[in-house]
Amino acid sequence: DKEVDGGRSQKLSLSFKSNVSEAHYGYALAQVKPMPVHVSDAWADYVPSGKHDQIVAASPDVFKSLPEFFSRRFKNPCWYKDQKLRCIPYYHIIGVSKCGTTDLYNRLVKHPQIYESLNKGPHWWDECPWPLKGACTAPPHGDFDGYINLFSKAAAAIEKDPQGLTGEASSNTYTAAMGVYLRGPSWDRDINVTMPELLRESSPFLRLILIFRDPVDRYYSAFYYYRWWKKDEPAPGPEDFHKTAEEEIGVWNSCVKEKGQPHCLRHYHPQQLVKGMYSEFLDDWTRNFPREQLLVLRNEDYKVAQREHMDAVFKFLGARELNAEEWDKVMGMPIKNVGKKRGHMLLKTRQLLDDFYKPFNERLAKQLGDERYLWHKRGSTTA
């Protein structure tokens, strides 16, 4: 397994006095390192991948629309075309769904110099297909030019505020790695390009933010959340969840036995079970992006030390420090995208899923050099 340096050589302090134990947020601050060069220099100095031609062929509209140079006037990657400022993201919150990405994004854009996109999570990179098939989330054609237009409002603000930033939070980006998704499902296509390869080649300066949650709790939350369209059916109970967990673990184990884990991971089924195998996607990201461009957070610590985590995220992006009134706006909003309480998970289900995810958690803790990702300590869980 590839060891990932946790960036603990650097010690940063919070912008305020905290009453929370540093054990809940120090790990986040320890990862923060300043952007070494301006985005325009990162773009100009980037040495294309040996797979550049394959990457371009997998998503040619991206490279057709990108500029030769980014303007040094702006901190965010922006350029002028036909006398109009255009911008693409400086950061992506890449996942994982049901781990707190929506809440993190909504607090992030409360910073006065971080501007919203027109779509918080367009899922353009993973779901909007190439070749094109309609508008997708980037009208009118679903191409990269339409994706850039999702940041038109942010670009207008950045033109007046050159230190401003923009980004997005498509929460399935992280688990699109390893050949799962790239401009549509990849598993049955003759394509040898992964999501991190495409994002690195098109945005080598990109700052990536990732938040994990105990995969058992994430799976339980997802079980209820993704049933929102079944309004006429009675709400499932803990026994229904236990049955689903048994069935999906059985499907996964049968697939691995018959075809091997790489095949089953790439075919992304059962999807919600696979999304909690965080370790299996990480190496693809760290092979393609320097570790200092990836900020990894843990949902359980984020909830305990929310302001401290937001401070770490702002530092990671190089955003200016906030005053008391600005902090009130960041922290005063209600928690976003919280699932309805559905009762406690059965202990037998907890044990079943703990045992299933244990080897993946152990590998993740080794990759990140941090035992908090073993998720040993927890309270009782509701959805």
Side-chain angles (χ1 to χ4, degrees):
D1 291 347
K2 182 177 178 180
E3 294 288 349
V4 179
D5 183 342
R8 289 172 173 77
S9 58
Q10 182 174 7
K11 180 76 171 178
L12 290 182
S13 60
L14 293 171
S15 301
F16 53 89
K17 183 174 177 59
S18 173
N19 295 321
V20 179
S21 169
E22 189 176 349
H24 287 296
Y25 65 83
Y27 80 103
L29 280 172
Q31 297 174 66
V32 175
K33 295 183 180 180
M35 186 77 167
V37 297
H38 191 275
V39 294
S40 62
D41 295 326
W43 181 242
D45 296 342
Y46 179 67
V47 178
S49 162
K51 294 174 64 176
H52 178 78
D53 290 346
Q54 293 179 62
I55 296 170
V56 172
S59 200
D61 55 333
V62 171
F63 298 90
K64 180 181 178 181
S65 295
L66 285 171
E68 184 177 359
F69 303 104
F70 289 106
S71 172
R72 291 192 61 83
R73 179 185 168 196
F74 305 101
K75 180 173 182 176
N76 198 85
C78 300
W79 71 102
Y80 281 98
K81 181 180 179 181
D82 300 328
Q83 299 183 319
K84 182 179 180 180
L85 189 68
R86 311 198 83 195
C87 299
I88 57 174
Y90 181 85
Y91 73 87
H92 280 216
I93 299 174
I94 58 175
V96 177
S97 65
K98 303 312 298 172
C99 291
T101 58
T102 298
D103 188 76
L104 177 60
Y105 175 82
N106 279 278
R107 293 186 195 281
L108 192 60
V109 297
K110 293 293 184 183
H111 191 292
Q113 289 189 312
I114 300 179
Y115 299 103
E116 294 184 69
S117 65
L118 297 179
N119 185 332
K120 165 253 177 188
H123 293 277
W124 185 85
W125 298 89
D126 55 321
E127 294 184 2
C128 292
W130 181 267
L132 304 175
K133 294 181 181 178
C136 195
T137 59
H141 306 299
D143 59 2
F144 190 62
D145 200 58
Y147 176 76
I148 295 171
N149 288 338
L150 296 178
F151 305 94
S152 58
K153 185 176 178 180
I158 289 170
E159 190 165 27
K160 300 175 182 177
D161 178 11
Q163 290 300 303
L165 301 172
T166 193
E168 56 124 306
S170 297
S171 61
N172 291 333
T173 305
Y174 178 73
T175 53
M178 298 299 294
V180 175
Y181 276 86
L182 187 130
R183 305 295 299 275
S186 297
W187 52 77
D188 288 327
R189 293 157 60 199
D190 183 19
I191 184 171
N192 188 32
V193 175
T194 70
M195 178 67 73
E197 289 174 332
L198 174 57
L199 283 174
R200 176 67 171 168
E201 200 74 0
S202 58
S203 299
F205 42 75
L206 198 60
R207 307 293 269 181
L208 303 172
I209 303 169
L210 176 60
I211 184 165
F212 292 136
R213 178 185 184 184
D214 183 329
V216 178
D217 295 337
R218 198 218 71 84
Y219 183 54
Y220 193 42
S221 178
F223 173 73
Y224 285 101
Y225 181 80
Y226 293 108
R227 294 178 64 90
W228 62 266
W229 63 90
K230 300 180 180 179
K231 299 184 187 300
D232 296 331
E233 296 183 11
E239 283 289 356
D240 297 301
F241 176 66
H242 183 81
K243 181 180 178 182
T244 296
E246 285 186 319
E247 290 174 350
E248 294 197 342
I249 289 174
V251 168
W252 171 261
N253 288 337
S254 295
C255 180
V256 171
K257 184 177 180 180
E258 181 181 350
K259 298 182 178 178
Q261 182 167 302
H263 171 93
C264 303
L265 189 78
R266 183 167 184 173
H267 281 71
Y268 207 43
H269 180 74
Q271 183 178 132
Q272 297 308 324
L273 190 72
V274 172
K275 281 185 180 181
M277 302 174 189
Y278 309 134
S279 59
E280 305 312 291
F281 300 94
L282 185 60
D283 284 350
D284 196 6
W285 290 99
T286 56
R287 274 194 300 266
N288 288 284
F289 282 89
R291 179 63 178 87
E292 58 266 24
Q293 287 178 227
L294 179 63
L295 178 63
V296 183
L297 308 176
R298 197 179 78 134
N299 172 274
E300 292 80 4
D301 293 304
Y302 172 77
K303 289 194 291 187
V304 172
Q306 199 169 64
R307 179 168 173 171
E308 291 79 2
H309 278 71
M310 292 310 304
D311 192 56
V313 174
F314 292 143
K315 283 181 165 60
F316 176 70
L317 297 180
R320 69 163 176 80
E321 293 187 2
L322 301 179
N323 60 37
E325 182 179 351
E326 291 166 340
W327 268 117
D328 286 344
K329 291 180 180 179
V330 172
M331 301 309 303
M333 56 168 272
I335 297 173
K336 295 288 186 179
N337 204 26
V338 180
K340 295 180 180 179
K341 298 299 182 184
R342 299 290 187 181
H344 293 289
M345 188 188 310
L346 298 175
L347 289 178
K348 65 179 181 179
T349 316
R350 165 71 70 187
Q351 188 62 57
L352 174 71
L353 290 167
D354 275 345
D355 291 344
F356 177 79
Y357 279 119
K358 182 179 178 180
F360 300 106
N361 293 346
E362 288 176 342
R363 184 171 184 229
L364 181 67
K366 183 179 179 182
Q367 288 169 311
L368 294 172
D370 194 337
E371 291 190 354
R372 77 185 62 239
Y373 296 101
L374 295 173
W375 282 284
H376 283 323
K377 297 180 181 180
R378 62 159 77 92
S380 58
T381 301
T382 60

